[in-house]
Amino acid sequence: MAGKKLVIRVQSPDGTKRIDVLPSTTLYKFFPMVAETCQVPLDGFELFNTRDKAQKLKRSSKVTVKSSKWKNGEMLYLVLCKSPTDSPNNENNEEAAAAPPEPSAVQEDEVDRILAKEDGKIIRERDEQLCRHGANAKCVHCLPLEPYDEKYLQERDPPIKHLSFHSYLRKLTGGVDKGKFAFLENPSCKIKPGCTEHSPWPEGICTKCQPSAITLDRQTFRHVDNVMFENPGMFDKFLDYWRKTGKQRIGYLYGNYEVHKDVPLGIRARVLAIYEPPQNATCDCLELLEDPKSDVVDYIAQSLGLVRVGWIFTDLVADDLTKGTVKHVRNLDSHFLSAEECIMAAELQVQHPNPCRLSADGTFGSKFVTCIVTGDSTNQIHTEAYQVSNQCMSLVRDDCLIPTKDASELGYIKESTNEQYVPDVFYSQTDSYGNKNKSLARPLPVEFLLVDVPSAFALESVHTFNPSTSKDPFLIENRSDIGDIQDVNALAKYMRQFSEDQVYEALMDFHLLVYLASMDAYPLRDHMDPLLAALKTNDHETVQAWTTGVGWSTVKHFMDAHDGIPHSAGSSSAINSGGSWTCNQCTYINALSRNTCEICDGPMG
């Protein structure tokens, strides 16, 4: 028995390795065995007994496997570190020394930090018929339930189909081991690089570098449990383009994530604004174009405390123009989301990963949602929301999933070529007899990749942007084909609606702020930090003071020169005082020491 070898498992960023050792092996000899098996430099890693890195192992000749009280199947955790012998110019060494992020170093979203501190238990009141105890006692009929209790979720009206992500985490980290073996891993469909035992693909492949086959399962949890548009006004403005042209439309949803009280430990995406990027649209096709204002939009959103929470597109076909009905085209007999739309949704989710401290990569899945405006079973316009599963994200990220030509509801897993190895992907179906049949995903029904998310409008409308609902909002960007052109004329017309004491209401328009930061004549991005900070905190006085600055005063003079009507929204004292004059030809503000305009050489006066 003393000579029987033990299997010690070592978990590293490249996967779990197995090492056969004798109980009498010292840690001084064990460390080189780990370095050889995991193919890392001997001085380029550290070993720990626990995942939280509380017990670091030292390479000692006095400590053996037996004295460490390791059992057969013991799990150790390898963390890469910078090897002192590594060359700074050696890219392979730098890649090998790249360690996964520390759990404490992962900056999770604020809503995740809030939910991580909550108890999450489902409180139950005392049952007068079943409970036989006093008011200060508890029994099995009134004890709080765990947030992942299946019976409770199914008894809700309507039933909750998926666990919230934090309920799923509580389920993983619960039990006797308290989550010691809980580990979230993003699947990979690529060959692991750096294998030296054979020639590169397609000449060779082995079990160490070959990605595992994937069996697609319906995801039991979702990262977002509800999508809420805070008012129907923004939704109607988005639909106006289809009503006027019959063409479909795409937009990005900007808002924030908050706690959703209707689902245990749930998360809700609150939508405050819809930005419409440049696009080519027809009645049945949409093409996104490169957006030169993308950085400006993200800057405005970030300054206001917003993030891009999803995207929305229309799929509307008019049924009866006199009744205003639309056709019900997405249903069980056709599809809910086509393969192309699934791939697009997965690409966007990959671009917006969800920070997670339990993942070796520092990210796991995504909170990015997909919203579709289409017809329901009563031929009325409604919104559906979805996410694609984490497995779908991995398939799209590694370029394994493509759409089919003849059936929009089917995807197809690519076959391996000399340029790319693609692992086998299967999905299982249950037949009428209750038997599970596993099939190769060529083709693949995309419903295995979908997670549906409820969506609705707020019960009480809130207008974060455009608080003056009686005023016309500023024109929406990229709608020049229907005559909506954002220019100084449109800006002057919009500002004429507001009096001098309504500057806050006038400037609290997402589309207006994007235009001001990127306008051709005089972009205000460099002047907008104080304004955006004031709008974020609802500081009316600071907003009023900002309009007396040079930036807004210059824009105001553009509007005055364009239509010849003084605009009362904001003061112009900064122009008339301080020793300056305005050119009548180009409206540039010049110092009094100049007799001609610095820009166009026009005369003063």
Side-chain angles (χ1 to χ4, degrees), residues 6 36 145 174 209 351 361 367 380 396 457 552 559 599:
L6 301 178
E36 181 181 358
L145 300 175
C209 61
Q351 295 172 18
D361 302 332
K367 294 189 183 77
Q380 300 298 317
V396 173
F457 296 106
W552 179 250
M559 294 187 288
I599 299 299

Side-chain angles (χ1 to χ4, degrees), residues 7 16-17 55 86 99 125 139 177 196-197 218 234 248 255-256 337 365 400 460 474 538 564 598:
V7 176
T16 301
K17 309 292 184 180
Q55 301 179 17
D86 284 344
E125 300 294 334
C139 67
D177 59 1
T196 58
E197 298 187 2
R218 297 184 186 273
M234 76 175 90
Q248 309 303 333
N256 46 51
L337 212 63
C400 297
E460 297 182 2
F474 189 64
N538 298 325
E598 184 179 354

Side-chain angles (χ1 to χ4, degrees), residues 331-372:
N331 48 55
L332 288 172
D333 298 328
S334 57
H335 63 276
F336 295 104
L337 212 63
S338 69
E340 284 184 302
E341 293 162 354
C342 280
I343 293 173
M344 181 68 177
E347 288 179 350
L348 291 172
Q349 288 184 203
V350 169
Q351 295 172 18
H352 301 83
N354 175 50
C356 181
R357 56 185 172 82
L358 292 181
S359 172
D361 302 332
T363 62
F364 185 72
S366 172
K367 294 189 183 77
F368 202 81
V369 297
T370 297
C371 293
I372 310 166

Side-chain angles (χ1 to χ4, degrees), residues 30 40 62 72 115 180 185 219 245 322 367 389 460 474 502 588:
F30 178 70
V40 294
K62 298 181 180 179
N72 191 40
L115 291 174
K180 179 181 178 181
E185 183 177 8
Q219 191 164 288
T245 65
T322 60
K367 294 189 183 77
S389 65
E460 297 182 2
F474 189 64
Q502 292 180 313
Y588 184 78

Side-chain angles (χ1 to χ4, degrees), residues 141-367:
H141 304 292
C142 60
L143 277 173
L145 300 175
E146 295 291 344
Y148 47 83
D149 186 88
E150 293 184 5
K151 183 178 179 181
Y152 171 82
L153 298 178
Q154 292 300 322
E155 290 178 350
R156 294 294 300 271
D157 186 21
I160 300 174
K161 298 180 181 179
H162 300 84
L163 293 176
S164 66
F165 180 58
H166 281 268
S167 295
Y168 175 72
L169 293 182
R170 296 294 171 89
K171 189 174 183 179
L172 287 181
T173 56
V176 179
D177 59 1
K178 298 300 180 183
K180 179 181 178 181
F181 303 103
F183 182 68
L184 301 178
E185 183 177 8
N186 295 301
S188 176
C189 305
K190 292 184 176 181
I191 296 176
K192 294 179 182 178
C195 189
T196 58
E197 298 187 2
H198 53 78
S199 301
W201 174 265
E203 281 74 21
I205 193 171
C206 67
T207 55
K208 292 182 179 179
C209 61
Q210 179 182 10
S212 303
I214 298 176
T215 300
L216 297 177
D217 298 316
R218 297 184 186 273
Q219 191 164 288
T220 59
F221 64 91
R222 56 191 175 199
H223 293 275
V224 172
D225 302 283
N226 185 267
V227 180
M228 185 185 75
F229 296 85
E230 69 168 13
N231 65 75
M234 76 175 90
F235 189 77
D236 287 336
K237 288 187 290 182
F238 177 70
L239 288 184
D240 279 343
Y241 184 87
W242 173 79
R243 294 189 179 110
K244 293 178 180 178
T245 65
K247 300 177 181 179
Q248 309 303 333
R249 198 68 173 163
I250 284 181
Y252 288 124
L253 307 177
Y254 281 89
N256 46 51
Y257 298 106
E258 60 186 15
V259 177
H260 184 41
K261 297 296 185 182
D262 295 339
V263 176
L265 297 177
I267 295 176
R268 176 168 60 195
R270 174 186 286 268
V271 180
L272 279 67
I274 303 176
Y275 169 76
E276 301 176 16
Q279 54 196 278
N280 287 332
T282 65
C283 60
D284 57 1
C285 180
L286 284 166
E287 178 189 5
L288 276 177
L289 305 177
E290 184 179 356
D291 188 5
K293 297 182 180 180
S294 178
D295 293 340
V296 175
V297 178
D298 289 338
Y299 157 72
I300 296 294
Q302 184 178 5
S303 300
L304 295 174
L306 308 180
V307 295
R308 190 182 294 184
V309 299
W311 68 305
I312 185 172
F313 65 92
T314 61
D315 183 17
L316 297 168
V317 180
D319 184 29
D320 190 335
L321 296 178
T322 60
K323 297 180 180 178
T325 56
V326 293
K327 293 183 178 180
H328 184 209
V329 295
R330 294 176 181 260
N331 48 55
L332 288 172
D333 298 328
S334 57
H335 63 276
F336 295 104
L337 212 63
S338 69
E340 284 184 302
E341 293 162 354
C342 280
I343 293 173
M344 181 68 177
E347 288 179 350
L348 291 172
Q349 288 184 203
V350 169
Q351 295 172 18
H352 301 83
N354 175 50
C356 181
R357 56 185 172 82
L358 292 181
S359 172
D361 302 332
T363 62
F364 185 72
S366 172
K367 294 189 183 77

